[in-house]
Amino acid sequence: MKKSMKKIEIGTAVSTAPGRVDGMLQVGCLPDGSPMEIPVIIVRGAEDGPVVWMHGCVHGNEYCGAFSIHSLVRELELQRGMVVALPVLNITGFQRQQRMSPFDGYNGGDLNRCFPGKPGGTLTEQMAFHIYQPLRQYATHFIDVHTAFTADTRWALYAPPSGDKAKVANGMARAFGFENTLPTPLDTLGGSALIEAAKEGIPGLIIEAGGIGSAFSPETVADCAERFRNVLRHLDMLPGETTEHGGLTLFSNFAWVNATRGGLFRPAVTCGSRIAKGDLVGRYYDVFGDLVEEAKSPFSGVVLAIGGGPVMPNGEILVHVGLDPQPAR
Amino acid sequence: MDTIEIGTAVSKGPGVAKGRLKIGELPDGQPILIPVVVVRGASEGPTLWMHGCVHGNEYCGTFVLHELIRSLSPQTLKGTVIALPILNMTAFQKNQRMSPFEGYNGGDLNRCFPGSATGTLTQQMAHAIYDQLRKHADYLIDMHTALTDDVRWALFANIPGEIGRKGEGIARAFGYRSTLPAPPDILAGSSMMTAAKDGIPSFIIEAGGKGPAFSDETVRDTAERLRNVMRHLSMLDGKVTDYGKQWHFSNFAWVHSTQGGMFQRQVRCGDRVEKGAVIGNYFDLHGHPAGDAHAPHPGIVLAIHPGPVMSTGETLIHIGLDPQEV
C-alpha cells in the first residue's frame, strides 16, 4: 500500500507521494497581464529525509546551472528525502539572455541581492519574495547554481562559515568537491539566497561552474550533475559510496576587482591559476590594436573568475580573486 | 606617392597612418567615429582593404585585423593595407549585431551597401564607408564570425570572369577547406557582392563565434592566413603556403528555427550531415526532451546554433550544399 506523505505544494507542483511532479510557480506579472511563471520540479523518495532545494538562473544568462539541474533530475530516484529544483528563477532575464530582468526598471535588479524579498517591492524584490517563501518553508539544505564569465570557471562557496551548520555545509562542499571553495563570511553577499538562508539555519552551497551564455560544455554539465549526485549520496538520499574528491583549498574571502578603464580586453590568466599581487591578468588594446595597458592583480590568491572580454567598459568585473588560499585539514 | 585620406587618417608616403572616419552622428550630436589604419609600403603594389565588425559583436575579426596590422612593416610591404577593424561602432559598444540607434528595418549593415547618403542611420554609415572603399580598394576582405568558436569557412564573390578568378585565388591562398564561390544573386547589399560588382575582387572570412567565443589560436591562425593572401598578391615576400584541397559549394542554405526552447547542438562546424540527421535537441523548462532538430539538406555544417536557448526564427544551422573537392 502506498504510504500517504505530507503534501508539498509549490505553485502548481503538488507532491503527495514518492516520484516526480512538475509545475509552475508564479513570481510576477508581465505588462500584458499574463503571469510570470517559473518551472518547479519535485522529486521525492519513499522515506522522509532531507529536503535539498536547488535553483539556477538566478542570473538569467547563467544557463549552465539550468542544464546541470535538468541533467540531475532527469533520472533521479531518491531512496529518501526530496529534491526541490527550480532550474530557471529569473525567467525574463533568461528569455532575453541577460543577467537581470528586462522588466525591472530600478536599481536592485540583481535577484541574488534581493532575498528574502519584499511582497510590495520592485519587480525583482517581489520575485525574490515568492521564491524565498517556499524555500524557507521546506528546505533543509540549499544549492544555488551560478556561472562566472568563462567556460573554465570552477569554484564553490558554502555558508554558514562557522558553527554546527557550517559542518553540514562543509560536508556538502567536500562532497561536491570543487577544490577552490570559500566558507562565506556572513557579512558578504547580503541579499543572496545563500547568506539569507544560512542566517536562518539552512546550510547551503553556491556552485560557480562554466561561463555566461553559451560558454559551457556538455562535459561540465555532466560533471556537475554527477557531483550533485555525490552530495545526495553524502546525505544518504541516494545509495552508494560517496566519492572522495580530495582536499579543498579554502579562502578567507574574495576580492572583486572592477575595471577602471574600458577597451578591447584579452585575459592572460585562466580560472584556478595562482597569482601574486602585481601579476599580469590581461591586456587592454585600443581600437587600432595598440596595447594601451596591462591589467595587474591588486591581490595575491587564486583566480576564481576572469573577465573574458573581448570588450569592456570601465566598471565591469576584471578579475575575481580568492584570498589567502589554505589547504583544508 | 598619392595622398590617401580616409577621415583623419592621412598617408602621404611609406609608414603607418592612423585616424578616424566619421560615419554618423549620435543623439547628443557627437560624431560616430570608426578607426582607420593605413599601412603603406615602401614599394608600389595593390591596395588591400580589410574591415571587421560589420556586425558589432563579431569581435574575432577585429582582433585578427589588429594582429595582422601589428605584424606589418612598411619596409617589407609592397602596396597598401587599409584596415577598418570596427565598422559598426555603436553595436560593438553594446555587444550586439546591429546598431542600438537604428530604429528601422535594415539595421544589418551587410545588407545596406553601397548605402545611401540620405537613408537610415545604417544606410548612411554604409555610404560613408563604401565611398572610401570604392575609391581606394583593389581587393576587399571582410571579416565575420558565425555563432560558435569552431566556425571556419569562407566565401568569395564568384562574378564570372576575372573578378571571380581573382576572388578564388584569394580563397585558395587563405585556404579554409569549406569555401563557397558565392553566386552573384545572393547576399545583395553585402560589401562583398557590392564591391565585386564594382570590379573589386572580394572575399568574406567566417572565423570564430559571436562575442567572446573565439580563441587566441584562431586569431593567430587567421592573421597568418591573411599574410599568406598578401604573399599570393605579391604584397609580402615569401613562398605561398599550400593549405591543400578545398570543398567548394554550389550555394548555402540558412535554416531558421521553427521551435523555441532550450537547445543543445549535436554537430560541429565542418561536419558532414545527411538530410534528416539529428543536429540538436530541444528541452523544455523542466528539462524534458522536447524534440530533435533535423538537417533539412545534406551538406557540410558551416554554422550551428550554440544554444543554450533559442526563439523561433533564429539561425538554427547554415549548410554548405553539394560539396565538391577541388
Side-chain angles (χ1 to χ4, degrees), chain B residues 140-179:
Chain B
L140 164 66
I141 296 180
D142 179 14
M143 302 296 309
H144 286 256
T145 78
L147 307 168
T148 55
D149 63 359
D150 53 350
V151 172
R152 282 166 78 84
W153 73 286
L155 54 166
F156 64 89
N158 195 23
I159 307 284
E162 194 194 354
I163 303 303
R165 277 199 302 278
K166 286 185 171 173
E168 180 167 1
I170 292 172
R172 291 290 195 136
F174 187 78
Y176 271 177
R177 186 160 170 80
S178 292
T179 297

mmCIF file of all heavy atoms in Angstrom, chain B residues 140-179:
data_model
loop_
_atom_site.group_PDB
_atom_site.id
_atom_site.type_symbol
_atom_site.label_atom_id
_atom_site.label_comp_id
_atom_site.label_asym_id
_atom_site.label_seq_id
_atom_site.Cartn_x
_atom_site.Cartn_y
_atom_site.Cartn_z
ATOM 1 N N LEU B 140 39.051 43.425 -51.567
ATOM 2 C CA LEU B 140 38.328 43.587 -50.302
ATOM 3 C C LEU B 140 38.306 42.260 -49.539
ATOM 4 O O LEU B 140 37.974 41.216 -50.111
ATOM 5 C CB LEU B 140 36.882 44.028 -50.565
ATOM 6 C CG LEU B 140 35.901 43.864 -49.380
ATOM 7 C CD1 LEU B 140 36.264 44.795 -48.226
ATOM 8 C CD2 LEU B 140 34.460 44.110 -49.832
ATOM 9 N N ILE B 141 38.642 42.341 -48.255
ATOM 10 C CA ILE B 141 38.437 41.189 -47.367
ATOM 11 C C ILE B 141 37.605 41.663 -46.174
ATOM 12 O O ILE B 141 37.947 42.646 -45.509
ATOM 13 C CB ILE B 141 39.774 40.579 -46.890
ATOM 14 C CG1 ILE B 141 40.544 40.022 -48.090
ATOM 15 C CG2 ILE B 141 39.518 39.483 -45.854
ATOM 16 C CD1 ILE B 141 41.890 39.398 -47.750
ATOM 17 N N ASP B 142 36.505 40.950 -45.934
ATOM 18 C CA ASP B 142 35.525 41.322 -44.912
ATOM 19 C C ASP B 142 35.512 40.209 -43.860
ATOM 20 O O ASP B 142 35.279 39.046 -44.171
ATOM 21 C CB ASP B 142 34.157 41.444 -45.614
ATOM 22 C CG ASP B 142 33.026 41.810 -44.684
ATOM 23 O OD1 ASP B 142 33.286 42.227 -43.554
ATOM 24 O OD2 ASP B 142 31.858 41.688 -45.130
ATOM 25 N N MET B 143 35.783 40.592 -42.592
ATOM 26 C CA MET B 143 35.922 39.604 -41.515
ATOM 27 C C MET B 143 34.604 39.450 -40.750
ATOM 28 O O MET B 143 34.071 40.426 -40.226
ATOM 29 C CB MET B 143 36.979 40.071 -40.506
ATOM 30 C CG MET B 143 38.360 40.313 -41.062
ATOM 31 S SD MET B 143 39.138 38.822 -41.693
ATOM 32 C CE MET B 143 38.925 37.720 -40.298
ATOM 33 N N HIS B 144 34.162 38.211 -40.653
ATOM 34 C CA HIS B 144 32.949 37.915 -39.887
ATOM 35 C C HIS B 144 33.200 36.751 -38.934
ATOM 36 O O HIS B 144 34.222 36.072 -39.012
ATOM 37 C CB HIS B 144 31.801 37.539 -40.834
ATOM 38 C CG HIS B 144 31.244 38.709 -41.572
ATOM 39 N ND1 HIS B 144 30.059 39.306 -41.249
ATOM 40 C CD2 HIS B 144 31.744 39.402 -42.626
ATOM 41 C CE1 HIS B 144 29.833 40.316 -42.067
ATOM 42 N NE2 HIS B 144 30.830 40.403 -42.922
ATOM 43 N N THR B 145 32.205 36.518 -38.082
ATOM 44 C CA THR B 145 32.145 35.269 -37.323
ATOM 45 C C THR B 145 30.749 34.706 -37.542
ATOM 46 O O THR B 145 29.862 35.405 -38.011
ATOM 47 C CB THR B 145 32.337 35.472 -35.800
ATOM 48 O OG1 THR B 145 31.113 35.954 -35.229
ATOM 49 C CG2 THR B 145 33.448 36.453 -35.476
ATOM 50 N N ALA B 146 30.575 33.447 -37.172
ATOM 51 C CA ALA B 146 29.197 32.945 -37.092
ATOM 52 C C ALA B 146 28.848 32.867 -35.601
ATOM 53 O O ALA B 146 28.976 33.883 -34.911
ATOM 54 C CB ALA B 146 29.035 31.625 -37.814
ATOM 55 N N LEU B 147 28.443 31.697 -35.124
ATOM 56 C CA LEU B 147 27.861 31.634 -33.782
ATOM 57 C C LEU B 147 28.778 30.970 -32.761
ATOM 58 O O LEU B 147 28.865 31.417 -31.630
ATOM 59 C CB LEU B 147 26.528 30.875 -33.871
ATOM 60 C CG LEU B 147 25.562 31.448 -34.945
ATOM 61 C CD1 LEU B 147 24.408 30.489 -35.192
ATOM 62 C CD2 LEU B 147 25.050 32.808 -34.546
ATOM 63 N N THR B 148 29.466 29.910 -33.172
ATOM 64 C CA THR B 148 30.270 29.124 -32.228
ATOM 65 C C THR B 148 31.760 29.239 -32.561
ATOM 66 O O THR B 148 32.129 29.610 -33.685
ATOM 67 C CB THR B 148 29.855 27.638 -32.278
ATOM 68 O OG1 THR B 148 29.962 27.193 -33.632
ATOM 69 C CG2 THR B 148 28.423 27.446 -31.816
ATOM 70 N N ASP B 149 32.609 28.907 -31.595
ATOM 71 C CA ASP B 149 34.041 29.168 -31.777
ATOM 72 C C ASP B 149 34.708 28.255 -32.807
ATOM 73 O O ASP B 149 35.835 28.517 -33.212
ATOM 74 C CB ASP B 149 34.779 29.113 -30.432
ATOM 75 C CG ASP B 149 34.715 27.747 -29.781
ATOM 76 O OD1 ASP B 149 34.092 26.826 -30.353
ATOM 77 O OD2 ASP B 149 35.283 27.591 -28.690
ATOM 78 N N ASP B 150 34.014 27.214 -33.263
ATOM 79 C CA ASP B 150 34.622 26.295 -34.231
ATOM 80 C C ASP B 150 34.305 26.668 -35.693
ATOM 81 O O ASP B 150 34.600 25.893 -36.604
ATOM 82 C CB ASP B 150 34.201 24.840 -33.935
ATOM 83 C CG ASP B 150 32.686 24.656 -33.846
ATOM 84 O OD1 ASP B 150 31.958 25.670 -33.820
ATOM 85 O OD2 ASP B 150 32.232 23.496 -33.814
ATOM 86 N N VAL B 151 33.767 27.836 -35.915
ATOM 87 C CA VAL B 151 33.423 28.280 -37.288
ATOM 88 C C VAL B 151 34.694 28.531 -38.102
ATOM 89 O O VAL B 151 35.607 29.213 -37.643
ATOM 90 C CB VAL B 151 32.583 29.569 -37.225
ATOM 91 C CG1 VAL B 151 32.386 30.156 -38.620
ATOM 92 C CG2 VAL B 151 31.254 29.315 -36.544
ATOM 93 N N ARG B 152 34.750 27.967 -39.293
ATOM 94 C CA ARG B 152 35.898 28.124 -40.196
ATOM 95 C C ARG B 152 35.420 27.935 -41.621
ATOM 96 O O ARG B 152 35.475 26.821 -42.146
ATOM 97 C CB ARG B 152 36.950 27.032 -39.941
ATOM 98 C CG ARG B 152 37.821 27.218 -38.761
ATOM 99 C CD ARG B 152 38.541 25.924 -38.479
ATOM 100 N NE ARG B 152 39.675 25.702 -39.372
ATOM 101 C CZ ARG B 152 40.880 26.202 -39.173
ATOM 102 N NH1 ARG B 152 41.129 26.941 -38.133
ATOM 103 N NH2 ARG B 152 41.856 25.955 -40.027
ATOM 104 N N TRP B 153 34.944 28.976 -42.255
ATOM 105 C CA TRP B 153 34.636 28.861 -43.678
ATOM 106 C C TRP B 153 34.769 30.213 -44.341
ATOM 107 O O TRP B 153 34.954 31.228 -43.659
ATOM 108 C CB TRP B 153 33.272 28.207 -43.916
ATOM 109 C CG TRP B 153 32.070 29.024 -43.600
ATOM 110 C CD1 TRP B 153 31.584 29.327 -42.370
ATOM 111 C CD2 TRP B 153 31.189 29.629 -44.555
ATOM 112 N NE1 TRP B 153 30.454 30.073 -42.485
ATOM 113 C CE2 TRP B 153 30.183 30.286 -43.801
ATOM 114 C CE3 TRP B 153 31.124 29.670 -45.949
ATOM 115 C CZ2 TRP B 153 29.141 30.988 -44.424
ATOM 116 C CZ3 TRP B 153 30.089 30.358 -46.553
ATOM 117 C CH2 TRP B 153 29.121 31.015 -45.792
ATOM 118 N N ALA B 154 34.716 30.225 -45.648
ATOM 119 C CA ALA B 154 34.963 31.472 -46.371
ATOM 120 C C ALA B 154 34.149 31.495 -47.650
ATOM 121 O O ALA B 154 33.648 30.463 -48.109
ATOM 122 C CB ALA B 154 36.450 31.599 -46.684
ATOM 123 N N LEU B 155 33.976 32.677 -48.214
ATOM 124 C CA LEU B 155 33.267 32.790 -49.484
ATOM 125 C C LEU B 155 33.837 33.935 -50.303
ATOM 126 O O LEU B 155 34.271 34.938 -49.758
ATOM 127 C CB LEU B 155 31.757 32.961 -49.269
ATOM 128 C CG LEU B 155 31.155 34.050 -48.388
ATOM 129 C CD1 LEU B 155 29.654 34.160 -48.671
ATOM 130 C CD2 LEU B 155 31.349 33.769 -46.918
ATOM 131 N N PHE B 156 33.883 33.712 -51.604
ATOM 132 C CA PHE B 156 34.321 34.795 -52.484
ATOM 133 C C PHE B 156 33.219 35.075 -53.489
ATOM 134 O O PHE B 156 32.410 34.196 -53.802
ATOM 135 C CB PHE B 156 35.652 34.471 -53.171
ATOM 136 C CG PHE B 156 35.613 33.293 -54.110
ATOM 137 C CD1 PHE B 156 35.292 33.448 -55.470
ATOM 138 C CD2 PHE B 156 35.921 32.009 -53.651
ATOM 139 C CE1 PHE B 156 35.273 32.359 -56.335
ATOM 140 C CE2 PHE B 156 35.895 30.916 -54.508
ATOM 141 C CZ PHE B 156 35.568 31.082 -55.850
ATOM 142 N N ALA B 157 33.167 36.324 -53.958
ATOM 143 C CA ALA B 157 32.139 36.722 -54.915
ATOM 144 C C ALA B 157 32.504 36.122 -56.267
ATOM 145 O O ALA B 157 33.498 36.508 -56.884
ATOM 146 C CB ALA B 157 32.065 38.246 -55.001
ATOM 147 N N ASN B 158 31.698 35.150 -56.697
ATOM 148 C CA ASN B 158 32.023 34.414 -57.926
ATOM 149 C C ASN B 158 31.376 35.091 -59.143
ATOM 150 O O ASN B 158 30.554 34.499 -59.836
ATOM 151 C CB ASN B 158 31.575 32.962 -57.786
ATOM 152 C CG ASN B 158 32.206 32.075 -58.844
ATOM 153 O OD1 ASN B 158 33.260 32.421 -59.401
ATOM 154 N ND2 ASN B 158 31.564 30.952 -59.118
ATOM 155 N N ILE B 159 31.811 36.315 -59.389
ATOM 156 C CA ILE B 159 31.367 37.035 -60.581
ATOM 157 C C ILE B 159 32.103 36.423 -61.771
ATOM 158 O O ILE B 159 33.322 36.266 -61.711
ATOM 159 C CB ILE B 159 31.748 38.535 -60.470
ATOM 160 C CG1 ILE B 159 31.234 39.136 -59.171
ATOM 161 C CG2 ILE B 159 31.299 39.320 -61.698
ATOM 162 C CD1 ILE B 159 29.770 39.438 -59.133
ATOM 163 N N PRO B 160 31.393 36.019 -62.827
ATOM 164 C CA PRO B 160 32.081 35.385 -63.958
ATOM 165 C C PRO B 160 33.215 36.267 -64.480
ATOM 166 O O PRO B 160 33.075 37.485 -64.553
ATOM 167 C CB PRO B 160 30.972 35.240 -65.007
ATOM 168 C CG PRO B 160 29.686 35.256 -64.232
ATOM 169 C CD PRO B 160 29.939 36.128 -63.044
ATOM 170 N N GLY B 161 34.322 35.617 -64.824
ATOM 171 C CA GLY B 161 35.444 36.369 -65.401
ATOM 172 C C GLY B 161 36.532 36.631 -64.376
ATOM 173 O O GLY B 161 36.675 35.904 -63.387
ATOM 174 N N GLU B 162 37.266 37.702 -64.596
ATOM 175 C CA GLU B 162 38.477 37.994 -63.846
ATOM 176 C C GLU B 162 38.205 38.237 -62.350
ATOM 177 O O GLU B 162 38.990 37.817 -61.493
ATOM 178 C CB GLU B 162 39.139 39.232 -64.470
ATOM 179 C CG GLU B 162 40.559 39.448 -64.002
ATOM 180 C CD GLU B 162 41.061 40.846 -64.355
ATOM 181 O OE1 GLU B 162 40.346 41.592 -65.051
ATOM 182 O OE2 GLU B 162 42.169 41.182 -63.899
ATOM 183 N N ILE B 163 37.098 38.923 -62.064
ATOM 184 C CA ILE B 163 36.808 39.255 -60.652
ATOM 185 C C ILE B 163 36.616 37.977 -59.840
ATOM 186 O O ILE B 163 37.158 37.831 -58.743
ATOM 187 C CB ILE B 163 35.544 40.147 -60.559
ATOM 188 C CG1 ILE B 163 35.710 41.413 -61.384
ATOM 189 C CG2 ILE B 163 35.216 40.487 -59.103
ATOM 190 C CD1 ILE B 163 36.897 42.256 -61.021
ATOM 191 N N GLY B 164 35.863 37.025 -60.396
ATOM 192 C CA GLY B 164 35.662 35.749 -59.724
ATOM 193 C C GLY B 164 36.964 34.959 -59.629
ATOM 194 O O GLY B 164 37.253 34.355 -58.593
ATOM 195 N N ARG B 165 37.753 34.954 -60.703
ATOM 196 C CA ARG B 165 39.020 34.208 -60.686
ATOM 197 C C ARG B 165 39.974 34.762 -59.631
ATOM 198 O O ARG B 165 40.630 34.010 -58.906
ATOM 199 C CB ARG B 165 39.684 34.258 -62.069
ATOM 200 C CG ARG B 165 39.147 33.232 -63.053
ATOM 201 C CD ARG B 165 40.106 32.999 -64.216
ATOM 202 N NE ARG B 165 40.409 34.218 -64.951
ATOM 203 C CZ ARG B 165 39.613 34.756 -65.909
ATOM 204 N NH1 ARG B 165 38.463 34.165 -66.223
ATOM 205 N NH2 ARG B 165 39.962 35.856 -66.523
ATOM 206 N N LYS B 166 40.056 36.083 -59.550
ATOM 207 C CA LYS B 166 40.933 36.684 -58.533
ATOM 208 C C LYS B 166 40.409 36.396 -57.123
ATOM 209 O O LYS B 166 41.192 36.178 -56.195
ATOM 210 C CB LYS B 166 41.045 38.199 -58.750
ATOM 211 C CG LYS B 166 41.935 38.547 -59.945
ATOM 212 C CD LYS B 166 42.126 40.047 -60.064
ATOM 213 C CE LYS B 166 43.182 40.374 -61.122
ATOM 214 N NZ LYS B 166 43.257 41.829 -61.375
ATOM 215 N N GLY B 167 39.088 36.401 -56.978
ATOM 216 C CA GLY B 167 38.493 36.053 -55.681
ATOM 217 C C GLY B 167 38.861 34.631 -55.294
ATOM 218 O O GLY B 167 39.219 34.348 -54.150
ATOM 219 N N GLU B 168 38.806 33.718 -56.277
ATOM 220 C CA GLU B 168 39.158 32.327 -55.995
ATOM 221 C C GLU B 168 40.624 32.198 -55.607
ATOM 222 O O GLU B 168 40.979 31.406 -54.721
ATOM 223 C CB GLU B 168 38.843 31.436 -57.198
ATOM 224 C CG GLU B 168 39.215 29.987 -56.919
ATOM 225 C CD GLU B 168 38.669 28.982 -57.919
ATOM 226 O OE1 GLU B 168 37.986 29.404 -58.876
ATOM 227 O OE2 GLU B 168 38.936 27.784 -57.720
ATOM 228 N N GLY B 169 41.473 32.979 -56.248
ATOM 229 C CA GLY B 169 42.903 32.964 -55.895
ATOM 230 C C GLY B 169 43.120 33.342 -54.438
ATOM 231 O O GLY B 169 43.918 32.720 -53.723
ATOM 232 N N ILE B 170 42.389 34.356 -53.992
ATOM 233 C CA ILE B 170 42.491 34.771 -52.589
ATOM 234 C C ILE B 170 41.984 33.657 -51.671
ATOM 235 O O ILE B 170 42.612 33.320 -50.665
ATOM 236 C CB ILE B 170 41.683 36.078 -52.360
ATOM 237 C CG1 ILE B 170 42.355 37.244 -53.087
ATOM 238 C CG2 ILE B 170 41.535 36.383 -50.877
ATOM 239 C CD1 ILE B 170 41.550 38.535 -53.089
ATOM 240 N N ALA B 171 40.851 33.055 -52.064
ATOM 241 C CA ALA B 171 40.265 31.981 -51.246
ATOM 242 C C ALA B 171 41.223 30.802 -51.134
ATOM 243 O O ALA B 171 41.373 30.198 -50.067
ATOM 244 C CB ALA B 171 38.940 31.534 -51.846
ATOM 245 N N ARG B 172 41.910 30.454 -52.251
ATOM 246 C CA ARG B 172 42.879 29.345 -52.235
ATOM 247 C C ARG B 172 44.051 29.673 -51.318
ATOM 248 O O ARG B 172 44.535 28.811 -50.570
ATOM 249 C CB ARG B 172 43.409 29.094 -53.655
ATOM 250 C CG ARG B 172 42.377 28.531 -54.593
ATOM 251 C CD ARG B 172 42.062 27.112 -54.189
ATOM 252 N NE ARG B 172 41.360 26.469 -55.278
ATOM 253 C CZ ARG B 172 41.629 25.241 -55.709
ATOM 254 N NH1 ARG B 172 42.576 24.529 -55.140
ATOM 255 N NH2 ARG B 172 40.930 24.718 -56.677
ATOM 256 N N ALA B 173 44.522 30.918 -51.384
ATOM 257 C CA ALA B 173 45.673 31.301 -50.554
ATOM 258 C C ALA B 173 45.273 31.359 -49.087
ATOM 259 O O ALA B 173 46.065 31.031 -48.209
ATOM 260 C CB ALA B 173 46.233 32.651 -51.002
ATOM 261 N N PHE B 174 44.038 31.772 -48.810
ATOM 262 C CA PHE B 174 43.578 31.791 -47.413
ATOM 263 C C PHE B 174 43.432 30.359 -46.910
ATOM 264 O O PHE B 174 43.811 30.033 -45.789
ATOM 265 C CB PHE B 174 42.266 32.571 -47.282
ATOM 266 C CG PHE B 174 41.852 32.750 -45.849
ATOM 267 C CD1 PHE B 174 42.456 33.721 -45.055
ATOM 268 C CD2 PHE B 174 40.894 31.935 -45.280
ATOM 269 C CE1 PHE B 174 42.105 33.868 -43.721
ATOM 270 C CE2 PHE B 174 40.537 32.075 -43.946
ATOM 271 C CZ PHE B 174 41.143 33.042 -43.169
ATOM 272 N N GLY B 175 42.828 29.504 -47.758
ATOM 273 C CA GLY B 175 42.950 28.070 -47.544
ATOM 274 C C GLY B 175 42.009 27.392 -46.573
ATOM 275 O O GLY B 175 42.301 26.289 -46.120
ATOM 276 N N TYR B 176 40.872 27.987 -46.199
ATOM 277 C CA TYR B 176 39.889 27.219 -45.436
ATOM 278 C C TYR B 176 39.315 26.139 -46.330
ATOM 279 O O TYR B 176 39.025 26.365 -47.503
ATOM 280 C CB TYR B 176 38.742 28.117 -44.948
ATOM 281 C CG TYR B 176 38.962 28.780 -43.610
ATOM 282 C CD1 TYR B 176 38.005 29.653 -43.106
ATOM 283 C CD2 TYR B 176 40.099 28.540 -42.837
ATOM 284 C CE1 TYR B 176 38.166 30.271 -41.872
ATOM 285 C CE2 TYR B 176 40.263 29.163 -41.610
ATOM 286 C CZ TYR B 176 39.299 30.020 -41.126
ATOM 287 O OH TYR B 176 39.448 30.634 -39.916
ATOM 288 N N ARG B 177 39.114 24.942 -45.732
ATOM 289 C CA ARG B 177 38.625 23.820 -46.515
ATOM 290 C C ARG B 177 37.214 24.098 -47.048
ATOM 291 O O ARG B 177 36.923 23.816 -48.201
ATOM 292 C CB ARG B 177 38.623 22.568 -45.621
ATOM 293 C CG ARG B 177 38.283 21.298 -46.329
ATOM 294 C CD ARG B 177 38.768 20.095 -45.516
ATOM 295 N NE ARG B 177 38.242 18.861 -46.055
ATOM 296 C CZ ARG B 177 38.732 18.227 -47.117
ATOM 297 N NH1 ARG B 177 39.759 18.727 -47.764
ATOM 298 N NH2 ARG B 177 38.188 17.102 -47.534
ATOM 299 N N SER B 178 36.337 24.674 -46.206
ATOM 300 C CA SER B 178 34.958 24.946 -46.628
ATOM 301 C C SER B 178 34.870 26.335 -47.256
ATOM 302 O O SER B 178 35.052 27.338 -46.571
ATOM 303 C CB SER B 178 34.015 24.873 -45.428
ATOM 304 O OG SER B 178 33.915 23.549 -44.961
ATOM 305 N N THR B 179 34.606 26.375 -48.557
ATOM 306 C CA THR B 179 34.610 27.654 -49.279
ATOM 307 C C THR B 179 33.456 27.694 -50.276
ATOM 308 O O THR B 179 33.211 26.735 -51.002
ATOM 309 C CB THR B 179 35.957 27.851 -50.013
ATOM 310 O OG1 THR B 179 37.004 27.922 -49.030
ATOM 311 C CG2 THR B 179 35.970 29.136 -50.827
#
